[in-house]
Amino acid sequence: MSPITIYHNPKCGTSRNVLALIRNAGIEPTVIEYLKTPPSRAELVALIAATGAPVRELIRAKEPIYAELKLADPALSDDALIDAMLAHPILMNRPLVVSPLGTRLCRPSEAVLDLLPAAQKGPFAKEDGEVVIDAQGRRAKA
């Protein structure tokens, strides 16, 4: 098993960019397409805890089902939000990356660089053309 795991949605550009950055470091991660293989309650709770972020930061508010279920209601408990994510995995924000250096939601995609134990092997540009890693393998200046 790889020391890096990505909870990935191949339809998401940010998720594809993060996966490509991991591979650009010479690492083949364990890829979990969470829409096909959602985490169990225990796994999801552990992932959320490992990020150190509140549950609300890991729920995807842009999805139509978020509004339909009225998940913006501040009275909803973390358990209720987790139940919604389990019932509708599309509500999991992505990509979540687990590495020996930590667990985090990698938005923007460059956030994954802090989780990689290896340097980038070459230049990298996001799908939209934004250069993230220069020809010397260093982070490009913003």
Side-chain angles (χ1 to χ4, degrees), residues 98-111:
V98 179
S99 94
L101 300 177
T103 299
R104 73 189 296 187
L105 174 64
C106 291
R107 297 187 84 80
S109 53
E110 298 90 318

Side-chain angles (χ1 to χ4, degrees), residues 34-35 38-41 44-45 48 55-56 58-61 63-73 76-93:
Y34 66 90
L35 295 177
S40 68
R41 173 177 270 287
L44 182 56
V45 168
I48 293 167
V55 174
R56 284 203 178 275
L58 298 175
I59 194 162
R60 190 160 171 82
E63 295 299 327
I65 192 78
Y66 180 87
E68 291 170 28
L69 296 175
K70 299 179 179 30
L71 297 177
D73 180 350
L76 289 174
S77 68
D78 286 352
D79 281 337
L81 295 174
I82 290 168
D83 288 343
M85 292 167 78
L86 291 168
H88 306 280
I90 193 70
L91 288 169
M92 282 180 58
N93 212 343

Side-chain angles (χ1 to χ4, degrees), residues 6-19 21 34 51 53 56-63 90-97 103-115 126 130:
I6 178 173
Y7 288 81
H8 177 61
N9 179 346
K11 292 182 180 179
C12 172
T14 301
S15 197
R16 290 190 304 269
N17 284 323
V18 167
L19 180 57
L21 279 163
Y34 66 90
T51 69
R56 284 203 178 275
E57 284 185 24
L58 298 175
I59 194 162
R60 190 160 171 82
K62 293 181 179 180
E63 295 299 327
I90 193 70
L91 288 169
M92 282 180 58
N93 212 343
R94 74 275 182 162
L96 276 172
V97 175
T103 299
R104 73 189 296 187
L105 174 64
C106 291
R107 297 187 84 80
S109 53
E110 298 90 318
V112 75
L113 297 172
D114 296 331
L115 297 177
K126 293 182 186 180
E130 178 186 348

